[in-house]
Amino acid sequence: MPVQSLAGETEVEFHCGVAALTDECDHEPEVIELDEPAYIDAEGMVYLPGRPLDCPECGNPHDFRFNGVGVMFR
Protein backbone atom coordinates (compact mmCIF):
# COMPACT_ATOMS: atom_id res chain seq x y z
CA MET A 1 0.00 0.00 0.00
CA PRO A 2 1.51 3.39 -0.96
CA VAL A 3 2.24 5.98 1.70
CA GLN A 4 0.04 8.49 -0.17
CA SER A 5 -2.96 6.49 1.03
CA LEU A 6 -2.39 7.98 4.51
CA ALA A 7 -2.91 11.59 3.35
CA GLY A 8 -6.07 13.09 4.84
CA GLU A 9 -6.68 10.25 7.31
CA THR A 10 -7.75 11.27 10.83
CA GLU A 11 -8.10 7.75 12.21
CA VAL A 12 -5.47 5.13 11.54
CA GLU A 13 -4.67 1.61 12.62
CA PHE A 14 -1.43 1.88 14.60
CA HIS A 15 0.82 -1.16 14.99
CA CYS A 16 4.39 -1.50 16.22
CA GLY A 17 6.73 -2.55 13.40
CA VAL A 18 8.64 -4.84 15.77
CA ALA A 19 5.41 -6.68 16.58
CA ALA A 20 4.47 -6.82 12.89
CA LEU A 21 7.78 -8.38 11.87
CA THR A 22 8.91 -10.44 14.88
CA ASP A 23 7.66 -12.11 18.04
CA GLU A 24 9.62 -9.69 20.24
CA CYS A 25 6.68 -7.36 20.98
CA ASP A 26 3.08 -8.10 22.00
CA HIS A 27 1.54 -4.85 20.73
CA GLU A 28 -1.77 -5.55 19.04
CA PRO A 29 -2.98 -3.22 16.27
CA GLU A 30 -5.20 -0.43 17.59
CA VAL A 31 -7.17 2.37 15.98
CA ILE A 32 -6.03 5.83 17.06
CA GLU A 33 -7.35 9.29 16.26
CA LEU A 34 -4.78 11.81 15.05
CA ASP A 35 -4.80 15.41 16.28
CA GLU A 36 -5.01 16.64 12.67
CA PRO A 37 -5.29 14.87 9.31
CA ALA A 38 -2.15 13.08 8.11
CA TYR A 39 -0.31 14.75 5.27
CA ILE A 40 2.70 14.33 3.02
CA ASP A 41 4.89 17.32 2.17
CA ALA A 42 6.49 18.17 -1.18
CA GLU A 43 9.57 16.11 -0.28
CA GLY A 44 7.49 13.02 0.44
CA MET A 45 7.83 13.21 4.24
CA VAL A 46 4.85 11.77 6.14
CA TYR A 47 3.32 13.73 9.02
CA LEU A 48 0.96 12.07 11.48
CA PRO A 49 0.06 14.77 14.05
CA GLY A 50 -0.55 13.29 17.48
CA ARG A 51 0.80 9.83 16.73
CA PRO A 52 2.29 7.85 19.63
CA LEU A 53 6.01 8.58 20.01
CA ASP A 54 6.81 4.98 20.85
CA CYS A 55 5.23 1.56 21.20
CA PRO A 56 3.37 1.20 24.51
CA GLU A 57 4.55 -2.42 24.80
CA CYS A 58 8.24 -2.46 23.82
CA GLY A 59 9.20 1.21 23.57
CA ASN A 60 10.18 1.02 19.88
CA PRO A 61 10.46 4.68 18.73
CA HIS A 62 11.08 4.25 14.99
CA ASP A 63 9.28 1.51 13.07
CA PHE A 64 5.48 1.52 12.84
CA ARG A 65 2.63 0.48 10.57
CA PHE A 66 -0.22 2.90 9.92
CA ASN A 67 -3.12 1.35 7.98
CA GLY A 68 -0.65 -1.33 6.96
CA VAL A 69 1.88 1.17 5.57
CA GLY A 70 5.39 0.85 7.04
CA VAL A 71 6.66 4.22 8.34
CA MET A 72 10.14 4.80 9.80
CA PHE A 73 10.72 7.89 11.97
CA ARG A 74 14.12 9.45 12.64
Side-chain angles (χ1 to χ4, degrees):
M1 179 176 288
V3 73
Q4 289 82 0
S5 66
L6 290 172
E9 293 292 326
T10 56
E11 270 191 358
V12 293
E13 183 183 74
F14 163 66
H15 194 197
C16 174
V18 174
L21 297 173
T22 72
D23 292 331
E24 297 175 20
C25 176
D26 293 330
H27 184 247
E28 292 292 325
E30 60 183 295
V31 174
I32 60 169
E33 187 171 338
L34 300 173
D35 293 343
E36 298 175 29
Y39 65 95
I40 300 166
D41 70 11
E43 296 179 12
M45 299 296 286
V46 177
Y47 293 86
L48 298 156
R51 70 166 175 92
L53 298 179
D54 52 26
C55 173
E57 294 290 326
C58 72
N60 161 40
H62 301 294
D63 182 16
F64 301 101
R65 302 289 180 271
F66 293 93
N67 292 357
V69 176
V71 179
M72 293 286 291
F73 293 99
R74 298 185 237 165

